[in-house]
Amino acid sequence: MKTEVPGPRSRELMKQLNGIQNAEAVHFFCNYEESRGNYLVDVDGNRMLDLYSQISSIPIGYSHPSLIKLLQQPQNLSTFINRPALGILPPENFADKLKESLLSVAPKGLPQVITMSCGSCANENAFKTIFMWYRSKERGHNNVTKEELESCMINQPPGCPDYAMLSFMGGFHGRTLGCLATTHSKAIHKLDIPSLDWPIAPFPRLKYPLEDFVKENQQEEARCLEEVEDLIVKYRKKKKIVAGIIVEPIQSEGGDNHASDDFFRKLRDIARKHGCAFLVDEVQTGGGCTGKFWAHEHWGLDDPADVVTFSKKMMTGGFFHKEEFRPNAPYRIFNTWLGDPSKNLMLAEVIKVIKSEDLLNNATHAGKALLTGLLDLQARYPHLISRVRGRGTFCSFDAPNDATRNKLITIARNKGVVLGGCGDRSIRFRPTLIFKDHHAHLFLNIFSDILANFK
C-alpha cells in the first residue's frame, strides 16, 4: 500500500467524473493493466487482495492468461469487433459456441437458453416468458382474440392479463421496472419509481449457530412457507394470478440470507401445487462460488426449477428454461443484441479453466478455510462479528450496526483488502474462483489485527 484509498489520483478522477455524472458511489479508480489474479491495483499504485471481485462478477481473476491468449487469436478478432443483432443475423458458429459454453453447464432439465446483456435483462425477460407460458396454458387451443390484440396496445386486460410474480422481502433481482417490483433489499433502489402490486413473502431469518436453533429455524421456515401459500390464495381472490415465484438460493444484496435446502424443496412443491412457474435467480450465486456450479444443485432436486437466470461470473446474462416455456412466436423475447457472442467465447474458456483446475472443489476447500477462520474471529470478537455463515467461498458475517460495518470495510481497504457490504449490516465475501487457502489465511491475519485494534 502506497497511499490511503482513495488516493490523490483517484480523488482527482472522481472530481472529473462527478462533473459528467453522479459518481458518488465510486470507491476508487483502478489500473486494470496492472491487476492480476486475486489482486486489484488502483490508480495510485496500491495493490489490494480483492474479496469482492467487481460485485461477484470476475470468475477466474484479473488478466487471466487463458483469456488474454483467447483475445490474441486472429480467428477470434471478428467476434470481438462485429457485434451482431443475434435474433436476426447470428454468426455461423453461434449454435456451436452456445453448446461449448452455456449448454455445457446447463442446469438439470433446462435444455433451452436465451442470452441477454445483464442480470436485470435476464430476469425481466424470464418474467415475460413465464407470463406468456401461463397465458398460453389458460388459452389452450383457442386463438388470440381481436379484443386481446387491441387491449394490450393500451395496457389493459384481457390483452395485458393481471398476473404477478411472487418475490421475497430482502430479495434483489435487478433495477428495471418489472425486476424492481420483486426487489426489496434497500429503499434507495426503489424510491420515486412507480411499481406493481405483486405479492411479497417473508424470507426466513435464521438464527446462528444453526445447530443451536434447529427447532426455531424450522418454525421460522414453516411460517414463511405458509405465508407464500396464503399470498397465492389471497391474490387469486383479488383476481390477480401468481404466475411465478422468484427466489435467490442465497439472498445476496439483501444481506446474505440463507435458508435450508429443505425450505427450497418445499417452496418448489408449493409452486408446483399452485401451477406457478419456479424461477431461480442465480445471477450472483451461479458459476461455482458455492462449491457447485449452480447453488440450487445443493437442494438435491430432480426438477429444481422451470427457469434459471444468470449473469455476473457467467460473463453474459441470460436464462435457461424448460422446453414448454419456449416462446410460441418470433420477436416475443427479443432485443437488438440478445447478449454478445464474444462473451460466450470467453465463457467457454472460463469453463475449461474451471474444469482443468478443479475450481469447484477449490471453492469448497478455500471456503472452508475462510469460514473456519471467520468462526474463530467470531469467538474472539463477538462484540464485532456475529452470524458467520457461508457456502463455499460465498461467506458473510454481521457487524453490530451499519456504521461499524462501513468502518471495517474502510479500514480493511486501507490495509490492502477489498470487501463488500450487503443488507443492513453485513460484510460479504465474493472472491474469484482462483482464491486459495493461502489467500484466506492472508486475509484472516490482516482482519484479525484490524479487529484487535478496532476502536
Side-chain angles (χ1 to χ4, degrees):
M1 299 299 290
K2 294 177 178 175
T3 70
E4 63 171 345
V5 182
R9 179 72 181 135
S10 261
R11 289 199 298 271
E12 185 190 316
L13 291 167
M14 281 170 171
K15 206 172 155 189
Q16 270 183 40
L17 185 59
N18 210 34
I20 300 166
Q21 55 181 236
N22 183 323
E24 288 164 37
V26 172
H27 298 164
F28 54 88
F29 279 75
C30 306
N31 179 343
Y32 290 109
E33 287 78 11
E34 294 299 321
S35 302
R36 292 279 178 285
N38 290 293
Y39 292 91
L40 177 60
V41 177
D42 75 358
V43 290
D44 289 281
N46 298 300
R47 184 168 176 265
M48 293 164 266
L49 178 64
D50 188 0
L51 303 190
Y52 196 38
S53 64
Q54 310 292 324
I55 322 179
S56 193
S57 69
I58 300 272
I60 52 173
Y62 294 104
S63 303
H64 196 285
S66 298
L67 293 179
I68 290 173
K69 200 168 145 193
L70 186 82
L71 264 80
Q72 288 167 340
Q73 289 165 354
Q75 72 270 26
N76 294 333
L77 213 55
S78 166
T79 306
F80 287 95
I81 295 168
N82 303 305
R83 188 175 184 180
L86 280 170
I88 55 168
L89 298 164
E92 184 180 4
N93 63 1
F94 187 53
D96 283 345
K97 290 296 170 197
L98 283 175
K99 285 175 193 161
E100 272 174 46
S101 57
L102 287 161
L103 292 170
S104 75
V105 291
K108 195 189 280 184
L110 306 183
Q112 300 277 299
V113 70
I114 298 175
T115 52
M116 291 285 160
S117 292
C118 71
S120 294
C121 226
N123 280 325
E124 198 77 39
N125 283 284
F127 295 173
K128 287 167 57 184
T129 299
I130 286 167
F131 294 145
M132 290 174 344
W133 161 80
Y134 201 96
R135 188 67 190 104
S136 120
K137 237 181 8 167
E138 282 188 328
R139 200 178 274 128
H141 295 297
N142 299 328
N143 290 331
V144 176
T145 64
K146 182 170 183 277
E147 190 190 2
E148 283 176 304
L149 292 171
E150 286 170 359
S151 59
C152 78
M153 294 305 284
I154 51 166
N155 305 346
Q156 296 298 312
C160 293
D162 217 351
Y163 293 161
M165 291 293 300
L166 181 143
S167 56
F168 289 86
M169 260 331 263
F172 182 93
H173 302 290
R175 297 164 184 265
T176 48
L177 272 172
C179 292
L180 208 51
T182 61
T183 287
H184 319 283
S185 53
K186 291 188 182 77
I188 196 70
H189 301 153
K190 293 173 71 76
L191 185 67
D192 302 333
I193 318 290
S195 199
L196 300 152
D197 172 23
W198 287 359
I200 307 158
F203 192 81
R205 173 78 178 169
L206 300 185
K207 291 183 172 172
Y208 290 84
L210 296 174
E211 58 275 13
D212 295 355
F213 295 99
V214 175
K215 193 166 177 238
E216 291 91 332
N217 288 338
Q218 280 173 347
Q219 286 169 343
E220 168 68 353
E221 291 191 341
R223 176 186 76 86
C224 295
L225 290 164
E226 194 180 324
E227 184 76 11
V228 169
E229 288 222 63
D230 287 352
L231 281 165
I232 293 170
V233 173
K234 187 176 134 194
Y235 268 72
R236 196 173 289 146
K237 282 180 184 155
K238 293 203 303 186
K239 297 280 185 283
K240 198 180 269 268
I241 290 168
V242 176
I245 296 173
I246 183 169
V247 72
E248 299 158 271
I250 300 165
Q251 284 190 337
S252 309
E253 171 67 27
D256 268 36
N257 308 314
H258 293 245
S260 70
D261 295 338
D262 186 57
F263 171 82
F264 289 103
R265 290 194 279 262
K266 286 175 175 157
L267 183 62
R268 177 71 184 106
D269 288 343
I270 289 170
R272 203 180 280 115
K273 173 182 164 186
H274 290 277
C276 312
F278 194 56
L279 163 50
V280 179
D281 177 347
E282 291 256 20
V283 168
Q284 193 156 156
T285 49
C289 44
T290 65
K292 291 194 183 288
F293 202 90
W294 302 106
H296 72 255
E297 292 174 54
H298 290 284
W299 308 340
L301 286 172
D302 284 333
D303 179 23
D306 296 308
V307 184
V308 170
T309 51
F310 56 84
S311 191
K312 291 193 184 278
K313 279 189 174 63
M314 299 299 289
M315 317 296 281
T316 175
F319 58 100
F320 295 99
H321 62 86
K322 287 182 174 168
E323 201 87 47
E324 70 200 72
F325 285 76
R326 193 181 160 107
N328 62 2
Y331 296 106
R332 298 202 77 187
I333 296 296
F334 191 86
N335 56 47
T336 298
W337 280 329
L338 287 173
D340 181 343
S342 70
K343 302 298 182 194
N344 304 346
L345 199 61
M346 289 166 80
L347 176 62
E349 196 57 42
V350 165
I351 292 166
K352 263 186 222 165
V353 171
I354 290 172
K355 287 176 178 167
S356 67
E357 296 182 16
D358 199 17
L359 295 183
L360 295 183
N361 272 329
N362 178 66
T364 303
H365 207 272
K368 198 173 171 190
L370 180 58
L371 196 66
T372 305
L374 289 171
L375 287 165
D376 173 53
L377 292 176
Q378 175 176 264
R380 284 159 53 202
Y381 304 101
H383 60 297
L384 291 173
I385 289 190
S386 64
R387 300 183 78 238
V388 166
R389 53 205 183 271
R391 200 159 219 174
T393 56
F394 208 97
C395 297
S396 55
F397 67 82
D398 283 8
N401 51 52
D402 176 39
T404 306
R405 182 260 310 268
N406 295 345
K407 195 173 168 185
L408 284 169
I409 290 173
T410 304
I411 295 170
R413 195 156 61 206
N414 283 311
K415 299 271 186 200
V417 176
V418 181
L419 296 170
C422 63
D424 299 331
R425 55 194 177 102
S426 302
I427 285 181
R428 57 177 152 173
F429 296 84
R430 297 293 184 270
T432 70
L433 298 172
I434 58 164
F435 174 81
K436 308 272 194 219
D437 289 30
H438 68 268
H439 298 110
H441 294 305
L442 176 64
F443 158 72
L444 291 162
N445 288 336
I446 295 169
F447 206 60
S448 174
D449 290 347
I450 291 171
L451 296 170
N453 298 310
F454 190 82
K455 301 278 189 293

